[in-house]
Amino acid sequence: DSLLEKNIEPILTLHHFTLPLWLSAKGGWLNPESPEIFARFAERAAGELSGRVKYWITLNEPNILAILAYFWAQWPPCRKNFDEAVTVLINMLKAHALAYPAMKELSGGKTRIGVAKAVTAFHPESLFSASDRAACAFRSRFHNFNFISSLTRGQVNFDMFPKEKLAASRTLDFIGLNYYFRQFIRGNLNILKDPFGEVVSPPPRAGQREITDMGWEVYPEGLYETIKAFSKYRLPIMITENGIATSDDERRKKYIKQHLAAALKAVKEGLPLIGYLHWSLLDNFEWDSGYSKKFGLVDVNFGTLERTVRPSARYFSEIIRSGTVSL
């Protein structure tokens, strides 16, 4: 209500990695009943906020949760099983497909529903290596596109897994993209044994590129690349996350300028970009990195909870007011 009073459009995310303890105890997203449980929650939330929220995101970064929590064991429940990771992805697909029709019906079709998909600009380590290019393409298809393709086609669309039907097709009104960095991929000569290849670090051909406090390469061109790649779905695109972890606010201002320039290039070419959300308003709890990574336009002292507006916030707000980016 406060956002609406200030003429700020709320964009609501229903699931951002965490679960109620009772559902986690029942297996979380591995539980075959999790899609129905989530759909009931989504319907209840949509009913409570009907008329006040136009843009809904059902799931934030499903691939990141599945891989980091169920394959790399980096996040709870810290498991290492690729089949389980894919099961989690499939259950999240089912959850979105079940939630979408009920949410649309409650609003009389007026809401816009999407997902926020983590995307990476994947490049082969060597442009002349067939195995590098093949691994890069396979990794990009699995990480960037399979989840979205499944929702547009109405069936599970992961390589090597059955094409199971979903409850509904075309359950996206827009695609949210969370973009931060590029990765170079080195392929394995035995691509059937290891189709994903490996991430090369430090990145080759990066020259004097900046590296953020998260260890990510700053590559604004990748924002344009991903917008262009996802335009194939012929759906509106919203940048739902884009930002930098740094204690140097001048770097943050530069990052904003470079990435908005890439977004502007996409708009000028007629690509279907409808919005941009900077990550993040406030310094935040960055999962396994705790409070050490500073993503905020506003500094937060986590001891006192005092908040201080950084110059980058005023820079970004001026861009919003003026509608222009000085290049």
Side-chain angles (χ1 to χ4, degrees), residues 72 119-125 136 139 143 179-186 198-201 203-205 215-217 219:
W72 288 350
V119 291
T120 300
F122 293 111
H123 289 196
E125 179 185 29
C136 184
R139 185 180 285 250
H143 177 75
Y179 171 79
Y180 291 96
F181 56 89
R182 166 174 65 171
Q183 286 183 334
F184 288 93
I185 306 302
R186 178 185 298 147
E198 62 179 315
V199 176
V200 181
S201 184
R205 305 200 308 276
W216 300 340
E217 179 197 2
Y219 182 64

Side-chain angles (χ1 to χ4, degrees), residues 77-201:
C78 301
R79 301 176 72 87
K80 290 189 176 184
N81 186 307
F82 184 71
D83 287 347
E84 285 189 352
V86 174
T87 296
V88 166
L89 282 170
I90 292 172
N91 281 338
M92 286 193 281
L93 281 172
K94 292 177 178 179
H96 174 93
L98 282 171
Y100 180 92
M103 293 174 69
K104 292 292 279 190
E105 184 177 354
L106 282 166
S107 71
K110 294 179 181 179
T111 56
R112 298 291 176 265
I113 302 169
V115 296
K117 184 70 187 64
V119 291
T120 300
F122 293 111
H123 289 196
E125 179 185 29
S126 171
L127 297 173
F128 304 102
S129 167
S131 60
D132 289 0
R133 293 198 307 272
C136 184
F138 191 90
R139 185 180 285 250
S140 182
R141 186 165 66 249
F142 177 82
H143 177 75
N144 287 343
F145 298 109
N146 279 168
F147 200 88
I148 300 299
S149 294
S150 297
L151 294 179
T152 57
R153 296 177 183 180
Q155 68 176 21
V156 174
N157 192 43
F158 290 101
D159 296 319
M160 301 177 290
F161 285 84
K163 306 298 185 192
E164 183 179 355
K165 286 282 187 182
L166 299 175
S169 61
R170 305 298 298 180
T171 54
L172 290 173
D173 301 315
F174 69 95
I175 301 171
L177 300 180
N178 296 356
Y179 171 79
Y180 291 96
F181 56 89
R182 166 174 65 171
Q183 286 183 334
F184 288 93
I185 306 302
R186 178 185 298 147
N188 190 311
L189 291 178
N190 186 348
I191 196 165
L192 293 177
K193 181 179 179 181
D194 178 21
F196 291 103
E198 62 179 315
V199 176
V200 181
S201 184

Side-chain angles (χ1 to χ4, degrees), residues 13 57-62 114-118 175-178 240-241:
T13 300
I57 293 167
T58 55
L59 303 163
N60 176 77
E61 298 187 345
V115 296
K117 184 70 187 64
I175 301 171
L177 300 180
N178 296 356
T240 38
E241 285 186 27

Side-chain angles (χ1 to χ4, degrees), residues 211-276:
I211 303 297
T212 74
D213 289 354
M214 292 292 291
W216 300 340
E217 179 197 2
V218 176
Y219 182 64
E221 296 92 334
L223 183 64
Y224 165 78
E225 290 175 12
T226 54
I227 294 169
K228 187 171 183 178
F230 276 83
S231 66
K232 69 180 182 179
Y233 292 105
R234 301 185 181 277
L235 287 167
I237 293 170
M238 183 184 298
I239 304 306
T240 38
E241 285 186 27
N242 176 242
I244 180 174
T246 181
S247 297
D248 183 345
D249 203 52
E250 286 300 313
R251 290 183 66 193
R252 183 173 288 104
K253 289 168 66 175
K254 179 182 176 183
Y255 185 99
I256 291 170
K257 179 179 179 178
Q258 291 175 329
H259 286 77
L260 287 180
L264 183 60
K265 179 181 178 182
V267 171
K268 287 182 175 179
E269 290 187 10
L271 300 179
L273 182 64
I274 61 170
Y276 172 94

